[in-house]
Amino acid sequence: MQRLAVFFVLAFCTAACALENGQMRTPPMGWLAWERFRCDTDCLMDPDNCISEHLFMEMADRLSEDGWRELGYVYINIDDCWSSMQRDSQGRLQADPKRFPRGIAHLAQYVHDRGLKLGIYGDMGTHTCGGYPGTTLDKIQTDAQTFADWGVDMLKLDGCYSNSSYQEQGYPMMSKALNATGRPIGYSCSWPAYQGGLPPKVNYTLLAQICNLWRNYADIQDSWDSVLNVVDWFFDNQDVLQPAAGPGQWNDPDMLIIGDFGLSLDQSRAQMALWAIMAAPLFMSNDLRTISSGARAILQNKLIIAINQDRLGIQGRRLIKEKSGMEVFWRPLDKGASALLFFSRRSDMPHRYKTSLKELSYKTGVYEAYDVFSERLLPQLKDSTEFVVSVNPSGVVMWYIYPVVEWKKEAGPGRFSKKLIGPKSHPHTNEVDAPFLLL
Ligand code: GLA
């Protein structure tokens, strides 16, 4: 009942409250420079890792040649430290001439030629967090127009070096200015993160009207502690955050650090799964030139991407937080399906967690579940069937699950045939047939 209510409220809000720029109906996916490459501007000593057109062109090549683009990872996003310290003679932002000698418009063309989209970074204030020129109120129109002229497809607008009243004016103004350019530009607002992320200071109804996504909380760092810190904040505040999300309007728990230095493979699966439950934007910040096959397999798992990208766009919730360190999460999906996530915070050994779908508030019925990471179809189970999942320390087990109904067919009295609700059919092999979810 409660779930039904959440569904209807969201369905209404999606129709009535979203920013109507038609962008990002499912959470945006791509690559963002910040967490992995920060403000490295030392192209003399560190030419392969410094913030430069070279870095973004190389990542664009990888996105388009290594199977990422086809899976939906289409944004390639510049973060801080890209610009010159001075605006040009007409007051426009300009790229650092040494590190971006051909300018942003050229980079945008390069990215578009590969079927990708370019994101850029600005700051609603006097300076960016890295000390580069910010966008003051009088510069909003100029900057929006400059980005549109360059062919930019997304803007992350940070909030360093300003105050709350400045932000209150500036973020909506930029939304209008971007729309007025006539170029579709996805708009990521860091505003709530600077106001503590919660009402009454943050108005999520207003945010949904002006932004496509928003950073709610602190920056992610390359460590498991940091992932846990973000996850705790988002799920401790799920009653506020969960209803705010929907097609075109997403909470952003920050970048995926899978493929970097801080997470084990189990922790990487956990980050990916939790971000899918949260309907979070999937911006990887890693080095796609050297990423391990293990990290790549997690980031390229078709079924988990399909769960993240579910067309209903309903953010999931934490259902259970056990004293034992086990947590269970749930996200409703299209066509009566759902994602179930079992997460262990323990540090001893794989934990055998016993439960049933009934205990997790599933309706009476027969279900089929597909294990997202082991890529196996599980035996059918009733809501009342007790089962055990074995969850590794700081790891997850994730199921894509859908009801199986039996009904009477015209075929004649007494004849029954089975029909699946959810995916059209299920694979009896070990191959993932994920695209069925996208239908
Ligand atoms: C802030 C943002 C980060 C990043 C840096 C850049 O800290 O939250 O995501 O953009 O600024 O300086």
Side-chain angles (χ1 to χ4, degrees), residues 119-284:
I120 205 160
Y121 167 98
D123 187 284
M124 185 69 257
T126 56
H127 296 86
T128 73
C129 302
Y132 290 76
T135 303
T136 44
L137 293 176
D138 57 312
K139 287 286 188 289
I140 287 178
Q141 272 187 0
T142 310
D143 291 356
Q145 195 56 52
T146 306
F147 297 145
D149 292 345
W150 286 342
V152 162
D153 305 291
M154 174 173 172
L155 169 66
K156 168 177 168 181
L157 193 61
D158 214 338
C160 272
Y161 299 106
S162 59
N163 58 37
S164 60
S165 69
Y166 209 80
Q167 291 170 6
E168 203 173 318
Q169 291 179 73
Y171 278 97
M173 269 172 77
M174 178 57 91
S175 182
K176 282 208 188 88
L178 291 173
N179 279 346
T181 67
R183 183 175 176 83
I185 298 179
Y187 184 31
S188 165
C189 301
S190 301
W191 186 13
Y194 285 87
Q195 298 304 324
L198 297 173
K201 277 193 162 176
V202 175
N203 176 348
Y204 281 105
T205 310
L206 171 64
L207 272 167
Q209 287 163 9
I210 63 164
C211 314
N212 294 113
L213 61 154
W214 45 79
R215 283 281 310 283
N216 316 63
Y217 187 60
D219 292 1
I220 202 158
Q221 310 293 340
D222 191 3
S223 76
W224 178 236
D225 277 356
S226 173
V227 171
L228 284 182
N229 179 259
V230 170
V231 165
D232 284 341
W233 189 85
F234 274 81
F235 287 102
D236 287 349
N237 294 301
Q238 63 183 356
D239 289 345
V240 169
L241 303 176
Q242 190 270 341
Q249 50 186 81
W250 310 105
N251 294 302
D252 180 6
D254 212 1
M255 292 157 272
L256 295 169
I257 54 164
I258 299 164
D260 293 322
F261 309 101
L263 303 188
S264 69
L265 280 181
D266 272 300
Q267 292 162 349
S268 302
R269 286 184 200 104
Q271 193 193 15
M272 191 73 184
L274 287 158
W275 263 234
I277 289 287
M278 286 189 277
L282 299 180
F283 286 108
M284 310 179 274

Side-chain angles (χ1 to χ4, degrees), residues 56-66 110 114 116:
F56 293 97
M57 285 171 173
E58 288 210 326
M59 292 306 164
D61 292 347
R62 300 281 50 83
L63 281 185
S64 67
E65 289 168 32
D66 297 345
Y110 187 91
R114 282 153 187 77
L116 302 169

